[in-house]
Structures are given as structure tokens and as C-alpha cells.
Amino acid sequence: MITYLLYVLKFEKKVNLSQKKQLDNLSLKVDELKLETYEAKLNPHLFKNILNSIQSNAYQTYYTIDKLANVLDYILYESKSNFVTIKDEIDFIKNYIEINKVKVSPLFDLQIKTKIDEQSFLYNEKIIAPLISIDLIENAFKHTDFQKDNSFIKIAIELNNTFFYIQVTNKISQKNSLEKESGGHGNQSLEHRLKMIYGNQFSLSKTTEQNVFIAKLKINLNEFYTKMHPNR
């Protein structure tokens, strides 16, 4: 029994050292997080808070570190490309949602619905701008009051042979900066980026109805693909 306990203690020490090394590496990646003007921007402080949450929730550490590493790799490396595949962008969105669950109570009303046609010819095409949808999701996690009983976040993602669609809905407890984004600088920056890339092949809207913030983005990828590859 003593030998077994010594083995367990030695193993746990090794695991803790491994976790600490992983967290330190992730911290360095967060510090390197820089995106240029008109590119989607994520707040490095948000990731620092998530790292702190991971450290205080040991049972979720391995799972969340893996997701966070994938997110940071995507931001630091894949986002340098002009376009990524729909699959990669959706995987990034799912990973980003998972790491944000660390700071959310299991009882919180977080609903994720996906309707993805993986057989669509668009699914594995490099046709979507990287991080194009993260602004909508990050704002929901940033502005929702998780302590309110009636708070919620609902995220719906859809892909078919014609379009990519994402809708993010969340309850806001009181009037704040989120309501101003329906016509503010954040919305204008994202819209400008979309116009530069997709021209008139998209629609973007942000509205507030009875303290419920609704953001919708729809991109007509089929027509955009046809313009990119006119001879196909």
C-alpha cells in the first residue's frame, strides 16, 4: 500500500509539473496574441481569465488546456491565411465555446445548435475568412450576466451548399455597451471587413429586443465561390 501511495504521489507530481508547463506555454501564446486592423480581435485578458479558471478547476484542466491550445494555434497561425476551410472555422468556434464553459455554471442556459452538411462541397473548401464569426460569440460571453437566473446564450450555426449562417442570442441584464454595438465601432469594423472580402454576398445585423441581444451573420458562399473559381 505504501509503495502504491508513493507511486500515486510521484505520478500526480509529474502530472502537475506537466500541467504547469502547458499553462506557461499557453500564457506565452496569449502574450503574443496580436491581430492587425480590420482583423477579428480577441481580448488577451479574456484568455488570462480563462487560464486562471483552469488552474482553479483541476478536474477540467486537461480537457480545457487541449481546447485552449487549439484555439491559440488557430489564432496565431491559421488566421494569417486569407481563407480557411469551413470545417476549421467551425472547429475553432466549438473549441472557443468549450473553453468559455469553464467560467459558466453547469446550470447556466447555454444552447449550441449546429446544422452542418459535411457532404457539402463547401465544407472543406478554403472559402471562409478566419475568425469572421468570433466577434459575435465573444461579445455574448463578455456581456452576459451569468449570475442572473434568466440569463442565457444561444448559438446556432448552419452550413449547406448555399450559405454559412451563425446567430448568437444572449440575455443582457441592463443597458450597456453591447446595445450600442448594433451601430457602433465594433459592428462597423466587422462589416467593413466583410465588405472587403465578400462584397454584397453577406448580411449582418445586430439588434436588441427586450434586453435580448441578437446577432446574425449570413454569407452566400456559393456565389462567392463561383466568383473565385469562374471556370469550375
Side-chain angles (χ1 to χ4, degrees):
M1 178 62 71
I2 293 174
T3 302
Y4 174 74
L5 289 175
L6 289 173
Y7 172 80
V8 170
L9 289 173
K10 183 178 180 181
F11 178 76
E12 288 184 350
K13 183 178 180 181
K14 184 178 179 180
V15 168
N16 289 334
L17 287 173
S18 176
Q19 290 179 350
K20 185 178 184 300
K21 184 177 180 180
Q22 285 179 298
L23 288 170
D24 288 341
N25 289 336
L26 289 174
S27 293
L28 289 174
K29 287 187 177 181
V30 171
D31 291 335
E32 294 172 1
L33 181 59
K34 295 180 181 179
L35 296 175
E36 301 298 329
T37 305
Y38 291 131
E39 290 185 358
K41 295 182 179 180
L42 294 174
N43 189 345
H45 296 292
L46 183 64
F47 284 99
K48 287 292 187 182
N49 292 336
I50 291 171
L51 286 174
N52 291 335
S53 297
I54 292 173
Q55 289 175 312
S56 63
N57 292 274
Y59 67 96
Q60 288 184 327
T61 298
Y62 273 130
Y63 177 78
T64 315
I65 283 178
D66 180 61
K67 300 299 180 184
L68 185 56
N70 291 336
V71 164
L72 291 177
D73 283 343
Y74 187 85
I75 295 169
L76 292 171
Y77 308 120
E78 297 299 326
S79 65
K80 293 179 180 179
S81 303
N82 291 329
F83 296 100
V84 295
T85 66
I86 298 290
K87 179 185 182 303
D88 288 340
E89 180 72 5
I90 291 175
D91 286 345
F92 163 72
I93 291 172
K94 290 179 178 178
N95 285 329
Y96 182 74
I97 292 171
E98 286 298 319
I99 62 176
N100 273 281
K101 284 184 179 179
V102 172
K103 58 181 181 181
V104 177
S105 165
L107 301 178
F108 179 77
D109 186 10
L110 175 61
Q111 300 179 33
I112 315 297
K113 294 183 179 181
T114 59
K115 186 178 179 182
I116 309 300
D117 180 8
E118 296 186 4
Q119 302 305 314
S120 169
F121 76 98
L122 295 169
Y123 186 61
N124 288 302
E125 285 286 339
K126 290 192 174 184
I127 195 172
I128 195 82
L131 305 173
I132 203 69
S133 53
I134 194 59
D135 174 71
L136 310 184
I137 298 175
E138 184 184 12
N139 280 337
F141 280 101
K142 185 165 61 176
H143 293 286
T144 298
D145 187 347
F146 296 105
Q147 306 305 315
K148 294 291 183 180
D149 293 336
N150 62 345
S151 289
F152 64 85
I153 295 176
K154 298 179 181 179
I155 301 172
I157 307 170
E158 184 175 351
L159 170 71
N160 56 35
N161 275 335
T162 303
F163 61 82
F164 171 77
Y165 175 78
I166 180 168
Q167 176 175 317
V168 182
T169 308
N170 65 289
K171 180 79 172 183
I172 49 179
S173 60
Q174 57 186 356
K175 291 184 178 181
N176 57 26
S177 60
L178 186 57
E179 293 189 4
K180 298 177 183 178
E181 289 191 15
S182 59
H185 176 70
N187 189 62
Q188 291 175 358
S189 296
L190 175 59
E191 187 168 5
H192 185 90
R193 185 177 180 225
L194 286 163
K195 284 181 178 178
M196 289 175 63
I197 299 170
Y198 295 106
N200 61 351
Q201 306 300 326
F202 79 95
S203 63
L204 173 68
S205 66
K206 294 184 179 182
T207 58
T208 302
E209 300 175 5
Q210 298 180 343
N211 289 330
V212 174
F213 191 74
I214 306 167
K216 299 178 183 179
L217 171 61
K218 183 176 181 180
I219 304 175
N220 190 328
L221 294 176
N222 188 35
E223 289 191 22
F224 182 69
Y225 179 86
T226 301
K227 288 186 177 181
M228 286 180 67
H229 307 284
N231 295 324
R232 290 191 183 182

